[in-house]
Amino acid sequence: MRYCKKCLEPDTRPDCIFDNQGVCLPCRYAESLDDIDWQSRRCELDDIVAWGRRHTKSQYDCIIGVSGGKDSHRQALYARDELGMNPLLVSCTYPPEQQTERGAHNLANLCRLGFDVVQVSPAPERWRQLMRFGILTFANWCKSTEMALYSSVPRAAIAYQTPLIFLGENPALSWGSAGGSLDGDANRMKYNNTLKGGDLTPYFEAGMRDADLFWYRYPTDAEMERAGLRLVYLGYYIRDFNDFRNAEIAMLNGMQARTGADALPQEMGQVNTFDALDDDFVAVNQMLKFIKLGFGKVSEQCSGAIRNGEMTREEALRLTHLYDGKVGARIIRRFCQYINVTEEEFWTVVERFRNQDLFERVPGQNDWRLKHPPT
Ligand SMILES: [Zn+2]
């Protein structure tokens, strides 16, 4: 395992990009921000806005997928207040057992701020079965839910005949996960590592029928072309579109961050209090990512903080060593109850997926550690 010379980005992230000096793409992009011609990007964005207005057949001129978090708030406010647009917000909402109170508050806050929000709620029992299948098969419960979160947005754009879709950041530039482009064009984002072109084959093997999976199925290229969809990373056009600034603006506008026990890094496996506000089970998946790829959310958040000048590399190393891949026992317990597996079964799955190329036993202890932790 090797790490970026500047941040803590590891080379085990699928599709990561490092230059020949051992520096990751997000660090290089962050360095280049001052040299970018933002005025010309704004002109490009103005053309996109005009395109959205020209091509809509509804009263809305763009669609924004939202969870109610910091990026949702920033995008919605920017589109309306800075670009003068009339966005329709689309939210694929977690079932009640999964959505946090805070998540419900934050989504309601977008309504309070004056936006129209369409909520999509895929059938909860199927949602749960797909999560259960995901954890037992891939040690990843998010695969199906991410399909739904991403697919419901272009589905709604087609249904409401509003072809311009804004997404937040370009994942390649923000966290080094190739997203099909290195600019504002997001039309090929379904071919990234998460969505894999919208392939649902594994779920048919899980006994699902085509008709069960409408909200999980990303539109085909032909459907997208027929509807004239245009997907754009809004964050690419905004100089200060980053986690910290977005959170600041969102909180000034009423978004609630994590507090108390829900913000403890040893419980949540994250050090930022403004990420993943609507769901606690995400900490389980970050732990599993750590088991498989050797890094979790803490190292990602710390890398972002280094790039943004919010944290030294020394502090990032300290927090990552302490908390990366951690998750509280109460979250594991609730998760196991929700997907109906015993904790023993759960830990058997976890250990089956542990990457033994990356981990070694701690001598004299029933524990594992990274062979090559970041230094
Ligand atoms: Zn880096």
Side-chain angles (χ1 to χ4, degrees):
M1 225 174 151
R2 287 183 311 124
Y3 298 88
C4 172
K5 297 272 186 293
K6 289 180 169 271
C7 71
L8 305 186
E9 177 72 10
D11 65 356
T12 52
R13 182 193 294 283
D15 306 325
C16 65
I17 302 166
F18 284 73
D19 68 11
N20 52 19
Q21 274 137 41
V23 176
C24 72
L25 178 64
C27 279
R28 288 300 186 212
Y29 183 65
E31 285 171 359
S32 75
L33 287 176
D34 285 339
D35 303 324
I36 289 169
D37 181 352
W38 292 99
Q39 195 48 45
S40 102
R41 279 205 189 170
R42 177 56 196 256
C43 290
E44 204 182 312
L45 181 57
D46 287 340
D47 286 345
I48 293 167
V49 170
W51 184 95
R53 292 199 178 116
R54 248 187 350 265
H55 288 84
T56 184
K57 294 193 179 73
S58 75
Q59 64 173 307
Y60 304 105
D61 42 25
C62 65
I63 300 271
I64 302 174
V66 296
S67 64
K70 60 188 187 315
D71 294 357
S72 309
H73 276 79
R74 182 82 197 272
Q75 287 179 79
L77 291 165
Y78 193 90
R80 184 187 67 185
D81 301 341
E82 181 70 27
L83 302 176
M85 301 190 85
N86 183 25
L88 175 63
L89 311 188
V90 176
S91 177
C92 180
T93 313
Y94 290 128
E97 297 94 331
Q98 188 175 3
Q99 189 187 41
T100 60
E101 286 288 326
R102 186 186 318 102
H105 165 91
N106 288 336
L107 198 55
N109 191 55
L110 285 170
C111 302
R112 190 185 64 79
L113 289 169
F115 294 101
D116 287 346
V117 182
V118 169
Q119 270 184 268
V120 174
S121 304
E125 188 48 39
R126 197 173 301 135
W127 180 275
R128 186 205 319 252
Q129 285 169 15
L130 287 165
M131 278 173 66
R132 187 174 196 278
F133 175 77
I135 198 100
L136 298 178
T137 313
F138 319 111
N140 180 352
W141 66 254
C142 290
K143 272 182 186 274
S144 56
T145 62
E146 283 182 340
M147 286 284 193
L149 297 183
Y150 283 107
S151 303
S152 52
V153 179
R155 287 275 164 223
I158 293 172
Y160 287 90
Q161 301 184 73
T162 306
L164 178 60
I165 298 172
F166 281 129
L167 299 153
E169 51 199 6
N170 182 325
L173 303 175
S174 300
W175 4 288
S177 179
S181 83
L182 293 178
D183 53 28
D185 176 12
N187 263 42
R188 290 186 59 78
M189 64 97 63
K190 75 168 166 178
Y191 293 104
N192 66 14
N193 184 57
T194 305
L195 298 176
K196 300 227 177 342
D199 181 18
L200 294 174
T201 316
Y203 305 112
F204 298 133
E205 287 159 18
M208 293 288 160
R209 298 163 310 155
D210 198 41
D212 296 329
L213 297 173
F214 178 81
W215 290 107
Y216 299 85
R217 191 183 320 101
Y218 207 94
T220 62
D221 287 342
E223 284 175 297
M224 288 175 66
E225 202 173 323
R226 205 158 44 236
L229 297 191
R230 182 171 186 184
L231 285 78
V232 172
Y233 294 117
L234 185 58
Y236 176 79
Y237 298 95
I238 305 172
R239 169 70 177 85
D240 63 353
F241 193 96
N242 61 61
D243 290 353
F244 299 90
R245 182 68 180 136
N246 292 0
E248 186 185 350
I249 290 172
M251 286 192 279
L252 282 171
N253 283 279
M255 185 190 80
Q256 278 179 7
R258 287 181 174 274
T259 52
D262 289 340
L264 294 173
Q266 62 271 36
E267 285 285 309
M268 287 309 305
Q270 59 171 358
V271 289
N272 293 349
T273 56
F274 46 71
D275 275 355
L277 301 175
D278 53 347
D279 166 40
D280 290 342
F281 294 162
V282 69
V284 176
N285 232 49
Q286 290 296 336
M287 179 270 282
L288 287 159
K289 185 170 87 180
F290 185 76
I291 296 280
K292 290 182 279 191
L293 300 175
F295 71 101
K297 195 70 188 171
V298 174
S299 84
E300 260 173 27
Q301 290 176 334
C302 289
S303 291
I306 291 173
R307 283 174 214 133
N308 219 42
E310 309 271 342
M311 194 183 281
T312 62
R313 198 166 191 283
E314 290 64 38
E315 176 66 354
L317 280 168
R318 188 183 75 80
L319 293 170
T320 297
H321 288 153
L322 278 174
Y323 301 122
D324 214 16
K326 295 282 187 286
V327 55
R330 79 187 161 101
I331 294 174
I332 301 276
R333 196 174 317 123
R334 217 160 52 74
F335 177 75
C336 289
Q337 281 166 358
Y338 174 61
I339 61 158
N340 194 23
V341 297
T342 64
E343 288 184 51
E344 200 182 348
E345 284 172 301
F346 172 80
W347 287 112
T348 305
V349 171
V350 173
E351 287 310 325
R352 190 152 56 83
F353 280 87
R354 185 181 292 280
N355 188 334
Q356 306 227 358
D357 293 336
L358 304 181
F359 286 88
E360 63 188 6
R361 289 271 186 197
V362 182
Q365 287 180 42
N366 187 24
D367 211 353
W368 296 85
R369 67 183 176 199
L370 279 173
K371 288 181 188 169
H372 304 288
T375 52

